[in-house]
């Protein structure tokens, strides 16, 4: 009887060990594995970031596993974090879908001994090793200054935000609003809404804003979905007003070339991704004291500079 119990326990133990190794990605030969969890897997911003991550992973010989929700939704991103933890990577990079709701899932990673590097968006907790992002406040301020110039320093403007609880887009909207309040007393922000990161929703909201304010002088969209929706609505209603966009996806660049979007803040997602791997490398090689947050510069793009190779090299890729 005793012998049977021991054999049974041994089988359970071996089966357990096997299943951990079967689902795990950690390499026996010591090769490091980087897990990258995108904000949205189909968003060209994160597709471009993945390219930057891949390039530097290749340089150091690290494995890369990538996944992300198909929609900006922390309830979809949370199970992806859990699946990644079960794969036992050596580091997790993540663009958290919510600054508060993603704290608990990421704490689980830290408790499992997996360090977390936040890329682009961030959380309201210091559990992460470092954050690599763009200067979002500056991007919003620059948008305010340029849009103000385009409309002659006066008139009504609107802001299209994406979701509540997203550090990047909230910072852009704040930068924009603070700058308008500080420097342009004759400009009034008549609408400040959230499109849930959906271009069609942004278009529908913008249509009602334009019906309420037919004299709207200009609009600011805090990311590519928000801006493309604004451009669509303006086109559908046959209006003509300057649109200041964010991001440099192929569709935004096409709209810029066509003149339906007047300017955009291009981020450098490939550089954000590449820098995150450099930080992970410092961690892997025992140089933790050198790890730090990084704020990557933006590039403002208009029809005047969009053909300059020093500018267009930062445009986002679709795959
Ligand atoms: O603007 C980027 C990113 O920086 C932001 O955090 C979420 O939206 C984008 O991914 C563009 O869709």
């Amino acid at each position: 009887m005793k012998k049977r119990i021991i054999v049974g326990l041994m089988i359970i133990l071996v089966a357990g060990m096997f299943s951990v190794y079967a689902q795990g990605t950690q390499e026996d030969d010591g090769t490091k594995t980087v897990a990258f969890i995108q904000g949205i897997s189909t968003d060209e911003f994160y597709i471009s970031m993945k390219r930057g991550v891949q390039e530097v992973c290749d340089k150091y010989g690290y494995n890369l596993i990538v996944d992300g929700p198909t929609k900006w939704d922390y309830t979809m991103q949370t199970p992806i974090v859990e699946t990644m933890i079960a794969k036992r990577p050596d580091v997790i990079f993540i663009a958290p879908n919510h600054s508060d709701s993603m704290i608990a899932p990421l704490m689980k990673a830290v408790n499992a001994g997996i360090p977390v590097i936040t890329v682009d968006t961030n959380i309201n907790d210091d559990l992460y090793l470092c954050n690599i992002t763009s200067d979002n406040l500056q991007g919003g301020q620059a948008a305010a200054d340029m849009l103000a110039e385009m409309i002659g320093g006066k008139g009504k403007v609107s802001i299209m935000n994406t979701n509540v609880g997203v550090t990047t887009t909230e910072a852009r909207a704040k930068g924009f609003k603070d700058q308008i309040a500080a420097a342009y007393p004759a400009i009034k922000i008549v609408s400040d809404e959230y499109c849930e990161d959906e271009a069609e929703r942004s278009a529908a909201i913008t249509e009602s804003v334009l019906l309420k304010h037919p004299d709207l002088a200009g609009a600011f969209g805090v990311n590519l979905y928000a801006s493309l929706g604004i451009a669509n609505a303006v086109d559908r209603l046959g209006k003509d007003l300057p649109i200041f966009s964010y991001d440099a996806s192929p569709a935004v660049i096409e709209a810029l070339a066509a003149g339906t979007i007047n300017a955009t803040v291009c981020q450098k997602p490939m550089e954000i991704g590449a820098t995150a791997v450099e930080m992970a490398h410092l961690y892997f090689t025992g140089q933790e004291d050198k790890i730090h947050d990084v704020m990557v510069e933006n590039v403002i793009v208009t029809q005047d500079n969009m053909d300059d190779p020093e500018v267009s090299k930062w445009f986002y890729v679709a795959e």
Side-chain angles (χ1 to χ4, degrees), residues 195-268:
C195 69
E196 289 169 28
D197 218 21
E198 286 172 16
E200 196 35 56
R201 207 172 153 76
S202 165
I205 295 170
T206 305
E207 280 188 358
S208 48
V209 172
L210 284 166
L211 292 175
K212 196 167 167 203
H213 302 284
D215 54 343
L216 192 75
F220 172 47
V222 303
N223 84 344
L224 63 95
Y225 301 110
S227 309
L228 290 169
I230 298 171
N232 237 331
V234 167
D235 180 51
R236 289 205 294 240
L237 293 183
K239 295 275 187 182
D240 184 18
L241 58 130
I243 299 170
F244 206 103
S245 173
Y246 224 96
D247 295 305
S249 67
V252 171
I253 296 305
E254 211 177 285
L256 198 64
T260 52
I261 280 178
N262 300 70
T264 195
V265 180
C266 173
Q267 303 183 75
K268 298 178 179 173

Side-chain angles (χ1 to χ4, degrees), residues 43 45-46 72 120-121 168 172 223-225 247 267:
D43 179 337
F45 175 80
Y46 298 109
W72 194 273
D120 181 46
T121 50
T168 51
R172 294 167 200 169
N223 84 344
L224 63 95
Y225 301 110
D247 295 305
Q267 303 183 75

Side-chain angles (χ1 to χ4, degrees), residues 34-53:
V34 172
F36 173 32
I37 303 171
Q38 296 155 303
I40 302 187
S41 60
T42 51
D43 179 337
E44 287 105 344
F45 175 80
Y46 298 109
I47 293 172
S48 307
M49 193 183 288
K50 176 180 158 190
R51 186 178 281 195
V53 171

Side-chain angles (χ1 to χ4, degrees), residues 139-152:
Q141 280 163 0
D145 284 332
M146 282 184 74
L147 192 62
E149 199 187 318
M150 287 174 192
I151 64 173

